[in-house]
Amino acid sequence: MKIPSITFKAPEPELKVIKSVTVYISEKHSEMIIAPISKEPKDSYHYEQKDCEIIDLTSSTEIIGEAIKRNFNKFDIKEKKEGMGKKSDWPALKVSKEKSGRGFEEKYRRISIRGITDRNSTLKIETVMNLPIGIELTSTISAHCEPSELGNRILKIYRSEITERK
């Protein structure tokens, strides 16, 4: 009796990713720019997606939290054809009210929000490039929290950010 050969193909490993989103806050312009992030699958670098969401800084904590959760879930893995690009190509800069990269970095404070593990059940919120002091603030919160709790935490971190006082 002849037994047909069976080819066995190992299952593809499930790609596990840590999602992230970047929030830019400007008191001068009274706005928040929420930039969803994508990951380049081949080179493993992260970049901002083209469609950023802008909300008023005076919005309720619930609206802020909902917008952040919505954009956090837009995280995607896709190839970026044009490479890293220049600062002037950043989607957040393009939708901001600033004309130059330098003006953008002076008027907007950046907060990074990412999952701690590939389950993305706990979020790590941290300030980024808090110059000239160089002290970064970090907080964690459940990804399953109420949107108002997340919005409140973002505003608390923003307001307590250590900056040079003149």
Side-chain angles (χ1 to χ4, degrees), residues 17-49:
V17 296
I18 296 175
K19 296 179 181 182
S20 61
V21 66
T22 303
V23 177
Y24 299 92
I25 302 174
S26 173
E27 237 172 65
K28 178 187 178 203
H29 300 300
S30 187
E31 70 180 11
M32 294 178 106
I33 300 172
I34 305 167
I37 303 295
S38 287
K39 179 182 181 295
E40 214 316 316
K42 295 176 185 167
D43 294 331
S44 296
Y45 64 85
H46 293 72
Y47 60 94
E48 292 178 3
Q49 295 178 18

Side-chain angles (χ1 to χ4, degrees), residues 4 15 31 46 49 58 81-82 84 103 113 115 119 133 157:
L15 189 58
E31 70 180 11
H46 293 72
Q49 295 178 18
T58 61
K81 294 176 176 56
E82 60 271 0
M84 288 296 286
I113 304 162
R119 289 190 172 171
I133 303 300
I157 285 181

